Amino acid sequence: MIVTIDGPAGAGKSSLARDLARKLGFRFLNTGAMYRAVVLAALERQVPWDDQLQLEQLVDQLQLEFRDETVLIDGRDVTDPIRSPEVSAAIHFVADNARIRRRLIQWQREWAACGDVVTEGRDQGTDAFPDADCKIFLIASPEVRAERRWRQLRQQQPDLTLEQVLADQQLRDQRDIDRPCGGLREPKGSFRVSTDEMSLAEAVDHVARIVLEIQARTAHEA
Ligand code: C5P
């Protein structure tokens, strides 16, 4: 069974997808981490962003591994470096590149081919798995998302204001929506879930109930 979780930054997709996968005994794929890993590898190897051939070769050669929340490139743990501001600032060079996206989607499909998965990103229920068994579109108001992010960041960045986080988020949302390929859209046939009024545990229970209902219905129909 394939469960996709898409939505804007800060809606709580990663935590929800991770905990949902644990609860259901499914594997979990964080596709944002894939995009980040490609950016980190390109920065480290000094691949110019306009060198399409080198970028594609890099993606073809990269050995990406996902073990729960740990991300490895060629066996090296890059879980922290892929979250650096340098990587975030350059992400559009990879995320806007249609040919790289096609390769990453191919990789995601191969990864999902063996067994039950929860996969999380921006295009999982639209482009990567349009026939997924269960599609979730996770949303939250801009204010709630920005406040969550600000609380996460303020220990490392005490001068950061909530207004700055909100402004950055607006920019990111717009980029994700306007992307020339793989832009954020609500997948057809998806369940829209707002996390504004829900704790993480409540959201996980809510989505787990949806998944289990679909599983039961599919088993009944078979
Ligand atoms: O999920 P996260 O915020 O870590 O993703 C990093 C960036 O990668 C997003 O801002 C988005 O631009 C891009 N992305 C994407 N398609 C996905 C997952 C992430 O374009 N499936």
Side-chain angles (χ1 to χ4, degrees), residues 6-200:
D6 292 300
K13 297 185 301 293
S14 300
S15 313
L16 181 127
R18 178 200 59 211
D19 288 3
L20 179 72
R22 277 193 194 139
K23 191 177 174 96
L24 298 172
F26 288 16
R27 288 184 306 142
F28 159 53
L29 184 63
N30 177 332
T31 61
M34 285 182 81
Y35 285 85
R36 290 176 176 278
V38 172
V39 171
L40 179 70
L43 287 172
E44 286 181 346
R45 293 165 208 202
Q46 299 181 353
V47 177
W49 295 121
D50 57 0
D51 191 334
Q52 184 68 25
L53 187 66
Q54 262 206 72
L55 274 179
E56 288 180 34
Q57 281 171 347
L58 173 77
V59 173
D60 290 343
Q61 287 160 7
L62 272 190
Q63 293 290 327
L64 289 183
E65 279 177 73
F66 295 87
R67 295 191 195 143
D68 203 17
E69 283 177 274
T70 304
V71 183
L72 305 168
I73 299 179
D74 298 333
R76 178 168 62 104
D77 184 347
V78 293
T79 314
D80 290 333
I82 60 168
R83 306 266 155 216
S84 71
E86 292 75 26
V87 168
S88 300
I91 208 98
H92 62 280
F93 289 117
V94 169
D96 290 354
N97 186 318
R99 292 167 73 147
I100 301 289
R101 291 197 80 87
R102 222 173 296 141
R103 278 172 156 75
L104 294 183
I105 286 179
Q106 187 55 36
W107 192 95
Q108 291 155 13
R109 289 181 181 155
E110 284 165 18
W111 191 89
C114 41
D116 296 322
V117 297
V118 177
T119 174
E120 171 268 291
R122 305 291 191 287
D123 59 348
Q124 296 299 283
T126 49
D127 295 347
F129 302 101
D131 300 324
D133 308 272
C134 175
K135 302 182 196 180
I136 304 293
F137 193 60
L138 202 69
I139 53 165
S141 68
E143 293 73 21
V144 167
R145 292 190 284 129
E147 183 156 350
R148 285 182 191 151
R149 181 106 186 105
W150 177 64
R151 285 183 192 284
Q152 271 173 2
L153 292 176
R154 71 180 167 177
Q155 266 179 350
Q156 299 121 286
Q157 301 176 45
D159 296 337
L160 190 70
T161 65
L162 181 58
E163 289 67 34
Q164 275 172 301
V165 176
L166 193 60
D168 277 0
Q169 179 182 277
Q170 266 164 357
L171 197 71
R172 243 180 116 182
D173 283 354
Q174 210 50 52
R175 271 207 172 133
D176 279 349
I177 292 167
D178 292 344
R179 175 151 295 135
C181 47
L184 178 65
R185 284 171 288 130
E186 187 160 356
K188 276 201 193 98
S190 62
F191 293 85
R192 183 191 274 226
V193 175
S194 165
T195 61
D196 271 352
E197 308 285 332
M198 282 190 218
S199 67
L200 173 59

